[in-house]
Structure formats: structure tokens, C-alpha cells
Amino acid sequence: MASHFTYIHELRELIASSTTASAGSAPGSTHLEVKLREVLPNLLRDYIIPSPKADPLLKLVAYTALKFPGVFYNGRAADVISVIGRILPFLAEPDFRSSHELIFSAVWNLLSILRTGDREAYRQFFLDAMVTVEDLLYVASMHDESPSGVPPGRCLVKCLCGSFSNILDSPGPYSELPASCQPKNGPGVLVDLTGDARWRPFATSLIKLVNKCLADGTLYVDGLVNMPFVSAACSILCYGDGSLHKVCFDFARIVATVMTAEILPLENIIRSITCILGQDVAELSDISLAPT
């Protein structure tokens, strides 16, 4: 059996030849798409591990979603949710921290397929993301209230329930999630958010995705944003680190710009800022250096 390095090397050569071929050389692109359909499901199933070796594969997913979106579904764009569900939990893996930008890029390119191919599935993902942000506020408070900083037992959160409910009748090459991500009760994706090293990066990336959905396609999510979600996104500020602070403030700015400032819980934001200013000065270095 060929290794994933062999597969990726072969795909790189095909991508290079497809890119440099003349406009009339459609067979090169067709061969590349056929090869991607053949090997990408196996690569995602067998070779994504918390390692820098996964970076080429994440880049390949982002490229394929942009150039050959049909590789990820057969006639129904909503099936892309299965691929997103396979990749999204890695945003909570400490060993994947250096790959977060690649993961984010891959997920966003996959979401773009939904935005153009199935608006309702895109809106459902946004709804699921809002619910997860509310769950994350609870997770953050649990960690904060625990004497050891980590609540007893594992902190598992089920995400994307609505999105996965909508594709139950559409099994495909990407539909089977890793065992560690399969909930025991009902559809969705299980994410381990135990410890600050897990929940904070996941919350940061998820709110960053929400921000991009709001900023780049406000009309697509029109009417979905609600007060409990806005309150949670603003309240989680006081439990975060510098990176989470930034995306939360970005969220407040975007909401005030594309919607209305009246929906923002200003008292909660002020309390959160006060809480942040009460932290150790060393923890605020990232914020103090941020442009105003």
C-alpha cells in the first residue's frame, strides 16, 4: 500500500501539470479531479494525525475545495458538512496548534462550497456554530470555577447537531467520522474541550469563523443572530487569552457595523474588559501591542 507521502507527491505533480497546461488541456484537470476523488477520502480517513506531516494534506483539502469542490460531494453540497466535521475537532488538539491557520483555511473553503451550493445548509452551520459558542461559555465557566482549573472528567461537547441531522440520509465517502468524534446519542461531532489548551483555541477559531460568515456574507445569515448567542460571544471574553480577546472584540465590532450596536450587551462587555484589566500584566502583552 502506497504511503500518504506517495499520494500527496503524485497529486502535487498533477496539480503542477494542470496549472501549467494550456486552456485547451482539459484532460489534465479531469485526471486530477478523478485522482482526488479516488485518494482523498482514504487520506482524510487514515492519515490526518496531530503532526506537522498533516500540513500538506490540509493544504490539499483547502486547494481541492477551492478548485474542485465537487470532489467532496455527489450532487448535494450539504454533504460537505461531513468533511468539515472531520477536520473541525483538530482545532481543539494542542498538537495541531501550529496548523490552525491551515485548518481554518480548509474549513472556510469548504464552507464556501455550502454558501454557493446550499444556502440552507450554510445557514444551518451558522446556527450550529452559535449554539456551540453558547456551550463554550458554559465550558469556560466550568474551567474557571474548578479549583484545579480543569473540571473533573472529560469535557465533551457535541457540535453541528442540526447540520448532521440533515445529511443522515446521504452516506458518502466522507460520512464516517473517527470513533473519537462520534457521539453516542444522536447526530453531530464530539469535541474534547478539556483544559484551557483545548477549549480556548477551539473557541477562538469558531468565533473567527462566525466573524468571517458575518463580514463576508451578511445576507446569507440574515435574521439568524440572536441575543443569547451575542451575549455568550461577548461574555466569554473574561475567560480568554489574548487571541480569544481579539476575535471577541472583532465580533463586537462586526456586529455593530453590519447589524446594530443596540444588540450588543454593553454592560457584559464592560465587565469583561474590567475583568481582563484585572489579570496579570504579562497576560495582556498581546492586547497592549494590538493596533488601536
Side-chain angles (χ1 to χ4, degrees):
M1 179 180 176
S3 72
H4 70 295
F5 294 112
T6 302
Y7 285 133
I8 290 175
H9 179 71
E10 181 180 356
L11 289 170
R12 278 176 173 170
E13 290 185 342
L14 287 172
I15 290 170
S17 62
S18 175
T19 303
T20 57
S22 63
S25 302
S29 294
T30 302
H31 180 50
L32 173 57
E33 183 168 355
V34 170
K35 194 65 178 178
L36 285 166
R37 287 183 183 276
E38 177 187 335
V39 305
L40 202 50
N42 292 333
L43 287 174
L44 281 172
R45 185 184 66 241
D46 299 332
Y47 294 115
I48 286 244
I49 55 174
S51 163
K53 295 178 182 179
D55 288 0
L57 182 50
L58 292 167
K59 291 178 182 177
L60 181 62
V61 171
Y63 171 85
T64 304
L66 195 62
K67 300 293 185 180
F68 301 98
V71 166
F72 292 112
Y73 64 93
N74 290 311
R76 186 181 177 190
D79 293 343
V80 169
I81 285 292
S82 296
V83 190
I84 294 174
R86 179 173 288 274
I87 296 174
L88 197 67
F90 296 128
L91 291 169
E93 291 289 341
D95 290 338
F96 260 123
R97 192 70 184 263
S98 63
S99 302
H100 277 192
E101 286 303 317
L102 292 175
I103 298 170
F104 184 90
S105 177
V107 171
W108 178 249
N109 286 359
L110 290 164
L111 277 176
S112 297
I113 298 175
L114 283 185
R115 190 170 65 175
T116 56
D118 192 327
R119 181 173 177 174
E120 287 308 309
Y122 183 78
R123 286 169 65 84
Q124 183 60 59
F125 175 89
F126 189 83
L127 285 170
D128 288 339
M130 291 198 304
V131 171
T132 303
V133 170
E134 293 179 47
D135 290 341
L136 281 164
L137 176 59
Y138 178 68
V139 169
S141 64
M142 282 178 58
H143 281 76
D144 185 64
E145 293 169 4
S146 176
S148 64
V150 179
R154 296 174 68 196
C155 188
L156 303 176
V157 173
K158 188 167 68 168
C159 309
L160 306 184
C161 300
S163 294
F164 271 82
S165 294
N166 291 339
I167 59 171
L168 284 176
D169 61 344
S170 182
Y174 303 96
S175 58
E176 186 178 350
L177 293 173
S180 59
C181 298
Q182 295 180 15
K184 293 181 179 179
N185 55 334
V189 181
L190 206 61
V191 184
D192 185 355
L193 298 177
T194 309
D196 291 348
R198 286 183 174 273
W199 79 259
R200 279 179 174 169
F202 187 80
T204 299
S205 296
L206 187 63
I207 295 175
K208 185 178 175 182
L209 271 175
V210 167
N211 290 349
K212 198 161 179 63
C213 289
L214 284 170
D216 290 4
T218 310
L219 292 177
Y220 290 93
V221 295
D222 183 47
L224 299 184
V225 175
N226 56 48
M227 283 299 298
F229 159 65
V230 173
S231 178
C234 294
S235 298
I236 204 171
L237 259 171
C238 60
Y239 301 108
D241 54 10
S243 297
L244 184 54
H245 294 158
K246 289 176 183 177
V247 297
C248 288
F249 283 125
D250 277 344
F251 170 76
R253 174 183 57 79
I254 292 168
V255 167
T257 302
V258 304
M259 296 177 61
T260 173
E262 293 179 3
I263 197 175
L264 294 172
L266 297 181
E267 285 191 21
N268 283 5
I269 294 175
I270 292 171
R271 287 196 192 99
S272 295
I273 292 173
T274 303
C275 178
I276 291 169
L277 293 175
Q279 295 177 15
D280 187 274
V281 174
E283 297 179 17
L284 300 176
S285 58
D286 288 342
I287 294 181
S288 64
L289 294 175
T292 57

